[in-house]
């Protein structure tokens, strides 16, 4: 008999590919063969940012399938992205599995599917394969999605997903949530909202096919969510980097010089500023952030992705680059997990994407929270109100987070030593959960054994 062989399918976004790759490495070390399926577009980006050694690991086969989309413009529209998947991907997945079936010892034996690609669980069922669902974000958000029928029944949203009651709590012990920050409600286009809601409802139904639902979180940080949805199994935090000494699976080329620059900075001195892979700032907010960092008078490392603003020409305030030359560094992409582990980092101005939240936590770094959309608002509540390892940024009446506010918040955060102390305590708990004997490690091991 051949090895257990898992087909792993992430949603085609940076914050999904990274944790699923790490899961793949864990399973590989545990005796699995892996076929990791990206869209053609992301496959190319991934390979372009991997070394030869990283690309050619025995046991993990990186493959690509078409995403059914015609253009880059379509890839930016979440509604069209979801429609596109269903056009071509199921057939290509079936063919992939069929080919593996014909290969004797190399047969795919199970599928691990991102919840945001839950339609693929139908493919698993059709092909007679065992299947599990993987959720890359907090259990709190997944529990909310799984509770949509209840939210309708309780009058929080109507049957079309439109918010009826703004603030709600899934459980008395869970942070209050705003129904305007649900993944489908945070877009203004009604057609897109409807499409995303329908896609999500279908996904929830498809999840019933999964034998297990595993989640990139751990029970110590959001126990009420795991009590509320006891079928969600915590296996996180899953972070890349263990194997290669650096994080991998990136879509953008990393700036090779920022680590050497950090080495020159004193301990606890640098503000790290990064907003993940989706956030887009308008020109006013982008400039205000730049001026706020300058006004703080502190050293900063700021990730300015090529598409962080919609502005195509030089988006920085006039003279900014020259003025901050010795204090600040703007780079296109960093090896973020390494950056956050660097002793020079004092705090993290973050959009609170779940991976960034876990990465900051795992390194004991306090946060200034600047959520952009969806689950990031719940993550902010966890950070500021539940774990108390960060502060929230507040916009003014015109919806802008001003330079003065940024300076003030940085001072407040760095002046409060209890914040760092709590962050360090949480770091210990997070790191314990993923080593042998830790809650998530043991869950992951049992899951892997069960899928063999
Ligand atoms: O310069 C950078 C910037 C980011 N990253 C990495 O990119 C990932 C970003 O992930 P995340 O922080 O989760 O942000 P998004 O890319 O915005 O993630 C999407 O997916 C997440 C998981 O579902 C959600 O929590 C977010 O809201 C959603 O926007 C992290 O691993 C970072 O380490 C780098 O390596 N270098």
């Amino acid at each position: 008999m051949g090895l257990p062989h898992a087909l792993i399918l992430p949603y085609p976004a940076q914050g999904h590919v990274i944790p699923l790759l790490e899961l793949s490495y864990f399973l590989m070390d545990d005796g699995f063969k892996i076929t990791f399926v990206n869209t053609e577009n992301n496959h190319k980006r991934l390979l372009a940012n991997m070394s030869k050694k990283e690309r050619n690991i025995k046991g993990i086969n990186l493959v690509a399938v078409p995403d059914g989309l015609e253009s880059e413009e379509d890839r930016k529209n979440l509604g069209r992205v979801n429609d596109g998947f269903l056009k071509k991907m199921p057939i290509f997945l079936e063919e992939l599995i069929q080919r593996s079936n014909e290969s004797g010892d190399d047969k795919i034996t199970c599928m691990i599917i991102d919840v945001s690609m839950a339609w693929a669980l139908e493919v698993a069922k059709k092909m007679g394969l065992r299947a599990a669902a993987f959720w890359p974000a907090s259990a709190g958000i997944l529990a909310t999605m799984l509770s949509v029928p209840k939210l309708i029944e309780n009058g929080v949203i109507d049957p079309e997903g439109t918010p009826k009651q703004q603030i709600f709590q899934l459980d008395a012990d869970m942070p209050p949530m705003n129904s305007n920050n649900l993944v489908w409600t945070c877009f203004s286009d009604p057609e897109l909202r409807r499409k995303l809601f329908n896609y999500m409802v279908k996904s929830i139904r498809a999840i019933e096919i999964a034998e297990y639902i595993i989640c990139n979180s751990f029970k110590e940080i959001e126990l009420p969510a795991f009590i509320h949805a006891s079928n969600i199994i915590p296996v996180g935090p899953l972070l890349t980097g263990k194997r290669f000494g650096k994080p991998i699976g990136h879509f953008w080329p990393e700036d090779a010089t920022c680590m050497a620059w950090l080495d020159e900075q004193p301990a606890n001195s640098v503000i790290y500023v990064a907003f993940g892979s989706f956030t887009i700032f308008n020109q006013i907010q982008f400039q205000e952030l730049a001026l706020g960092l300058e006004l703080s008078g502190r050293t900063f490392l700021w990730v300015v992705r090529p598409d962080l603003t919609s502005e195509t020409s030089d988006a920085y305030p006039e003279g900014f680059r020259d003025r901050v030359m010795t204090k600040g560094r703007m780079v296109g992409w960093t090896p973020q997990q390494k950056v956050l582990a660097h002793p020079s980092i004092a705090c993290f101005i973050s959009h609170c994407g779940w991976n960034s939240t876990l990465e900051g936590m795992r390194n004991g770094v306090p946060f200034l929270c600047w959520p952009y959309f969806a689950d990031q608002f719940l993550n902010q509540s966890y950070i500021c109100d539940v774990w108390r390892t960060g502060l929230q940024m507040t916009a003014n009446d015109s919806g802008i987070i001003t330079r003065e506010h940024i300076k003030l918040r940085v001072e407040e955060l760095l002046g409060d030593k209890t914040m760092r102390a709590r962050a360090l305590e949480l770091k210990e708990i997070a790191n314990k959960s993923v080593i042998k004997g830790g809650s998530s490690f043991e869950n992951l091991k049992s899951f892997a054994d069960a899928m063999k």
Side-chain angles (χ1 to χ4, degrees):
M1 215 175 83
L3 293 175
H5 182 171
L7 182 154
I8 301 211
L9 180 70
Y11 182 82
Q14 183 69 94
H16 295 238
V17 169
I18 289 178
L20 267 165
L21 256 183
E22 177 60 12
L23 176 70
S24 301
Y25 292 131
F26 180 94
L27 294 176
M28 224 172 69
D29 291 344
D30 203 56
F32 279 78
K33 187 173 186 303
I34 303 291
T35 293
F36 194 89
V37 184
N38 275 300
T39 60
E40 281 171 344
N41 203 40
N42 285 345
H43 181 70
K44 276 191 216 132
R45 295 173 79 186
L46 208 71
L47 293 192
N49 293 302
M50 277 178 159
S51 68
K52 200 167 163 208
K53 187 172 156 210
E54 290 160 357
R55 282 198 298 263
N56 296 316
I57 296 214
K58 200 168 170 291
I60 181 160
N61 193 14
L62 301 170
V63 301
V65 293
D67 59 11
L69 296 161
E70 305 295 329
S71 68
E72 276 316 303
E73 222 26 66
D74 285 353
R75 288 192 184 94
K76 287 185 190 145
N77 178 315
L78 290 185
R80 269 183 243 154
V81 166
N82 294 346
D83 289 345
F85 291 155
L86 298 174
K87 265 196 239 152
K88 289 201 175 162
M89 285 181 107
I91 295 171
F92 276 90
L93 282 182
E94 282 176 29
E95 285 174 3
L96 195 71
I97 296 162
Q98 202 60 54
R99 278 200 300 278
S100 91
N101 281 343
E102 287 155 12
S103 70
D105 270 3
D106 228 8
K107 255 173 123 149
I108 289 169
T109 55
C110 64
M111 287 169 78
I112 301 176
I113 304 296
D114 194 319
V115 166
S116 305
M117 302 293 263
W119 51 264
L121 291 161
E122 307 276 0
V123 176
K125 189 174 169 190
K126 182 171 170 195
M127 303 302 283
L129 289 175
R130 300 182 62 195
F134 171 82
W135 178 243
S138 72
I141 283 294
L142 181 56
T144 309
M145 283 164 50
L146 296 175
S147 304
V148 157
K150 208 87 217 123
L151 296 184
I152 297 174
E153 202 180 302
N154 294 346
V156 176
I157 52 173
D158 73 11
E160 268 74 55
T162 308
K164 285 171 69 186
Q165 175 193 326
Q166 209 185 356
I167 304 297
F168 70 96
Q169 256 178 308
L170 207 54
D171 223 308
D173 295 335
M174 284 179 66
M177 291 170 69
N178 188 325
S179 54
N180 287 317
N181 294 331
L182 296 169
V183 80
W184 63 95
T185 57
C186 47
F187 297 92
S188 53
D189 172 7
E191 175 63 8
L192 178 59
R193 288 168 82 132
R194 193 185 54 76
K195 274 190 170 175
L196 292 178
F197 182 68
N198 289 342
Y199 185 81
M200 199 269 313
V201 169
K202 278 191 196 141
S203 300
I204 293 172
R205 276 195 217 117
I207 288 175
E208 283 170 21
I209 296 169
E211 274 181 66
Y212 301 96
I213 306 173
I214 56 173
C215 171
N216 188 18
S217 179
F218 58 111
K219 80 171 185 331
E220 289 83 352
I221 49 168
E222 42 170 359
L223 194 56
F226 288 110
I227 292 174
H228 185 92
S230 56
N231 52 341
I232 305 176
I233 306 168
V235 298
L238 295 162
L239 301 176
T240 54
K242 257 192 302 179
R243 176 176 294 260
F244 301 104
K246 73 178 186 64
I248 61 157
H250 292 173
F251 294 173
W252 286 271
E254 80 186 38
D255 180 283
T257 63
C258 62
M259 294 311 294
W261 180 79
L262 285 178
D263 286 343
E264 291 164 12
Q265 311 306 322
N268 258 326
S269 66
V270 178
I271 308 173
Y272 177 57
V273 191
F275 297 92
S277 58
F278 274 111
T279 310
I280 295 177
F281 283 118
N282 65 36
Q283 177 72 353
I284 298 175
Q285 186 60 83
F286 181 82
Q287 295 213 346
E288 207 57 31
L289 168 57
L291 295 170
L293 292 172
E294 183 183 0
L295 194 64
S296 78
R298 293 181 184 262
T299 314
F300 62 87
L301 174 63
W302 179 13
V303 179
V304 184
R305 264 187 5 249
D307 53 353
L308 185 63
T309 72
S310 38
E311 194 64 22
T312 44
S313 60
D314 189 1
Y316 296 102
E318 213 186 323
F320 171 79
R321 283 174 188 271
D322 294 336
R323 292 196 303 275
V324 299
M325 196 125 70
T326 56
K327 278 267 181 194
R329 201 158 174 105
M330 287 82 78
V331 297
W333 193 255
T334 64
Q336 180 164 297
Q337 293 175 46
K338 269 179 102 176
V339 167
L340 287 167
H342 197 279
S344 67
I345 298 299
C347 68
F348 185 7
I349 300 187
S350 169
H351 71 313
C352 308
W354 188 246
N355 294 289
S356 294
T357 301
L358 293 179
E359 291 163 12
M361 175 194 292
R362 223 175 146 176
N363 289 294
V365 178
F367 282 83
L368 280 179
C369 301
W370 190 325
Y372 176 65
F373 83 147
D375 66 322
Q376 297 159 12
F377 289 91
L378 174 64
N379 304 343
Q380 168 178 262
S381 300
Y382 276 140
I383 293 170
C384 299
D385 307 327
V386 180
W387 312 325
R388 296 189 300 125
T389 53
L391 296 175
Q392 189 172 324
M393 297 277 209
T394 311
N396 67 10
D397 291 345
S398 316
I400 294 293
I401 295 181
T402 64
R403 66 194 84 167
E404 292 81 12
H405 184 70
I406 295 168
K407 173 183 158 58
L408 202 77
R409 281 308 215 197
V410 167
E411 279 171 10
E412 239 177 285
L413 183 77
L414 297 184
D416 182 349
K417 298 288 171 250
T418 64
M419 210 57 94
R420 167 71 77 165
R422 278 191 295 272
L424 289 171
E425 271 171 35
L426 205 50
K427 168 183 171 175
E428 290 306 309
I429 302 171
N431 288 333
K432 261 194 202 145
S433 76
V434 284
I435 55 174
K436 205 164 185 307
S439 56
S440 281
F441 180 93
E442 295 305 325
N443 284 343
L444 188 49
K445 184 80 186 84
S446 306
F447 165 74
D449 289 345
M451 291 303 279
K452 279 179 186 164

